[in-house]
């Protein structure tokens, strides 16, 4: 295939992907209604990371979504998160804000589908590897998403919450600056930790 022909095909695929993205963003209930699955699967490799995150966020805001559509989006995000395993540049991966937005949004969907686990496990692996620097509300939201979806409570959840709890235990400034919402999410997630909170951690949370 000649280079001009390849460019034409690439441009057509990108245009089709953009049309699919616009359909996914329509204010439908459930979200994703009207999307042809074959077309979606063909278009997803041409979605940008920001478009995938926008889809997840939109699904979370709507609360209800066409299950197979959400499953394909989750699988694509999961593939992007694991892309470094295949030697793809780190630039293909989500940053801390994007992964927090997408993961928390998917955790709010009902009903939860087994297919989402591809995405959830990829997030958990990244958390164990310390791929993202999660602080403040990001850590609280990711912790809540892990707790609510019962994802890797034995390893990923402690990896997210223990640094936060340790900081609160050691820093009066951190206890003074934590917001009410952040504290609420943090406590919600902390009750699902595999080990009981220490007396010092409990006292720190009580002083916030």
């Amino acid at each position: 295939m000649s280079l001009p022909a390849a460019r034409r095909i690439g441009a057509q695929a990108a245009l089709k992907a953009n049309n699919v993205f616009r359909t996914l963003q329509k204010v439908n209930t459930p979200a994703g209604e009207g999307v042809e699955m074959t077309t979606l699967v063909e278009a997803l490799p041409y979605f940008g990371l920001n478009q995938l995150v926008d889809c997840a966020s939109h699904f979370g805001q709507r609360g209800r979504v066409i299950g197979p559509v959400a499953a394909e989006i989750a699988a694509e995000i999961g593939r992007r998160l694991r892309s470094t395993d295949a030697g793809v540049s780190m630039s293909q991966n989500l940053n801390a804000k994007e992964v927090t937005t997408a993961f928390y949004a998917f955790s709010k969907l009902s009903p939860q589908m087994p297919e989402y686990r591809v995405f959830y496990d990829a997030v958990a692996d990244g958390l164990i590897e310390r791929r993202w620097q999660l602080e403040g509300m990001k850590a609280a939201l990711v912790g809540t998403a892990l707790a609510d979806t019962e994802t890797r409570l034995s390893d990923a959840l402690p990896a997210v919450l223990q640094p936060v709890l340790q900081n609160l235990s050691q820093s009066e400034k951190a206890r003074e600056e934590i917001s009410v919402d952040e504290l609420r999410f943090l406590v919600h997630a902390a009750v699902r930790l595999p080990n009981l909170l220490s007396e010092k951690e409990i006292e720190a949370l009580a002083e916030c």
Side-chain angles (χ1 to χ4, degrees):
M1 181 185 298
S2 67
L3 182 57
R7 286 176 174 171
R8 279 197 305 274
I9 293 174
Q12 291 169 356
L15 179 60
K16 181 183 292 187
N18 192 52
N19 291 335
V20 173
F21 175 72
R22 287 203 298 268
T23 302
L24 287 169
Q25 293 296 300
K26 288 182 178 178
V27 185
N28 294 332
T29 302
E33 193 172 50
V35 175
E36 168 60 45
M37 289 304 302
T38 302
T39 303
L40 174 64
V41 171
E42 293 174 349
L44 279 178
Y46 296 92
F47 273 42
L49 287 174
N50 61 322
Q51 291 176 312
L52 292 170
V53 173
D54 285 348
C55 286
S57 179
H58 178 66
F59 295 166
Q61 291 171 8
R62 303 307 300 170
R64 292 178 57 233
V65 62
I66 300 296
V69 172
E72 289 295 337
I73 296 292
E76 183 64 24
I77 298 175
R79 283 191 288 270
R80 303 287 180 98
L81 287 174
R82 295 185 185 281
S83 62
T84 52
D85 295 339
V88 180
S89 169
M90 281 289 290
S91 65
Q92 293 295 315
N93 288 301
L94 303 179
N95 61 38
K97 180 179 179 180
E98 291 167 334
V99 77
T100 299
T101 298
F103 187 25
Y104 184 73
F106 264 95
S107 76
K108 299 295 102 182
L109 296 182
S110 180
Q112 288 284 300
M113 296 184 64
E115 291 84 356
Y116 300 167
R117 287 289 162 190
V118 175
F119 172 36
Y120 296 169
D121 284 338
V123 170
D125 287 343
L127 294 171
I128 296 300
E129 296 167 4
R130 307 286 184 184
R131 190 178 297 175
W132 308 287
Q133 184 175 358
L134 298 176
E135 298 176 346
M137 185 59 82
K138 294 185 187 71
L141 289 175
V142 168
T144 295
L146 288 167
D148 288 349
T149 60
E150 299 186 346
T151 298
R152 304 279 286 279
L153 303 181
S154 64
D155 55 359
L157 187 59
V160 173
L161 296 190
Q162 289 300 337
V164 178
L165 293 170
Q166 183 178 10
N167 186 42
L168 289 174
S169 300
Q170 297 175 349
S171 172
E172 181 178 353
K173 181 180 179 182
R175 294 194 294 274
E176 291 175 348
E177 292 181 348
I178 189 171
S179 69
V180 173
D181 285 340
E182 183 183 336
L183 179 62
R184 176 168 58 87
F185 285 117
L186 179 61
V187 171
H188 175 81
V191 299
R192 300 303 306 275
L193 285 167
N195 298 318
L196 295 176
L197 296 178
S198 68
E199 183 176 340
K200 188 174 182 181
E201 290 168 340
I202 293 173
E203 291 177 352
L205 290 172
E207 292 175 6
C208 291

